[in-house]
Amino acid sequence: MVQNGGEPLETLLSEDAKAYLSRFYQIFDEMVWEMCSAQLSQSISHNFIVQMIPHHRAAIEMSKNLLWYEPGAALRKIARGIISEQTQGISEMKKMLPQCSICVNSPRDTALYQRRIENIMSTMFREMSAAPDTNHIDVDFMREMIPHHEGAIRMAETALQYELCPELVPVLEQIIRSQRQGVQEMEALLRRSGAKRR
């Protein structure tokens, strides 16, 4: 019996898969709540930071969750890179938040920005939660993390269309570069494994 995409349909999840997925969904639900309940202001710089910090935090925790299950060497390197880079990114954004919050945007710009961000977040949440649950933990992680990275890229690209505090701009540019690279690496690993993205 096969599911859409031609991969075998596994009716029973292993104990490791169930433990991995249980923790993943816990992290995912925390991220959704924190991003959606962030205290927003008239500063797009502020709003980006307070919604991106829980996004980064989730990527760190999801990567730590993966590492419990001894992923392949290439994916282990990617996960460790996510932990290192996004831990640093959180630290940088926390430091610049007070100064960046002073950079206020017009009500029109703030509303346009936030509407676009809410659409991006909605798509990201839907694609992450729709990833198939299988016994292949490495594949599950990549199917979940690729839309997570793509959400960050789109959020950063959207923010760059508006006036921001100068300190934040290189952080956004780094997010775009590093997470595009991460998407490319994970898509290549999926192709090599013979698994489809969805």
Side-chain angles (χ1 to χ4, degrees):
M1 188 174 185
V2 295
Q3 61 186 9
N4 292 339
E7 294 177 43
L9 179 63
E10 296 160 330
T11 55
L12 293 176
L13 291 173
S14 69
E15 291 304 309
D16 277 355
K18 286 188 279 189
Y20 166 82
L21 290 164
S22 177
R23 177 62 181 144
F24 164 75
Y25 285 116
Q26 179 185 14
I27 298 164
F28 174 81
D29 289 344
E30 289 171 358
M31 177 188 73
V32 171
W33 187 87
E34 289 177 2
M35 292 183 74
C36 292
S37 63
Q39 295 298 307
L40 305 180
S41 73
Q42 283 298 123
S43 167
I44 290 173
S45 301
H46 168 96
N47 294 351
F48 179 88
I49 291 171
V50 297
Q51 291 186 302
M52 188 53 64
I53 285 175
H55 182 278
H56 273 17
R57 188 182 300 120
I60 293 165
E61 294 304 317
M62 289 172 184
S63 297
K64 289 179 179 178
N65 184 38
L66 171 71
L67 291 173
W68 277 104
Y69 301 95
E70 300 183 357
L75 190 56
R76 184 164 61 247
K77 181 179 178 182
I78 289 171
R80 287 175 175 165
I82 289 170
I83 293 168
S84 174
E85 184 173 291
Q86 301 204 20
T87 298
Q88 180 180 348
I90 289 173
S91 177
E92 291 173 351
M93 286 189 287
K94 283 182 174 179
K95 287 178 183 175
M96 65 180 65
L97 180 58
Q99 185 64 29
C100 283
S101 297
I102 297 171
C103 182
V104 175
N105 301 87
S106 71
R108 180 183 62 183
D109 283 358
T110 306
L112 287 171
Y113 165 80
Q114 204 58 44
R115 182 177 181 84
R116 178 66 180 135
I117 291 300
E118 287 169 6
N119 287 336
I120 292 167
M121 287 166 45
S122 176
T123 299
M124 177 181 66
F125 299 155
R126 183 177 66 253
E127 291 182 355
M128 290 180 71
S129 62
D133 295 343
T134 75
N135 284 317
H136 304 286
I137 291 172
D138 287 20
V139 171
D140 289 353
F141 174 83
M142 290 186 282
R143 285 171 167 161
E144 296 150 359
M145 191 56 63
I146 288 172
H148 185 272
H149 275 20
E150 289 174 337
I153 293 165
R154 291 193 292 268
M155 289 174 70
E157 288 174 336
T158 299
L160 286 169
Q161 297 173 9
Y162 298 91
E163 184 178 353
L164 301 170
C165 69
E167 298 91 337
L168 184 58
V169 171
V171 173
L172 303 188
E173 292 170 342
Q174 174 61 20
I175 287 172
I176 293 168
R177 283 193 303 271
S178 65
Q179 303 214 13
R180 276 182 181 160
Q181 180 181 345
V183 168
Q184 291 169 358
E185 291 172 348
M186 286 186 282
E187 286 181 335
L189 283 177
L190 278 176
R191 287 193 297 271
R192 262 181 259 149
S193 74
K196 294 184 180 293
R197 177 169 165 178
R198 295 187 181 89

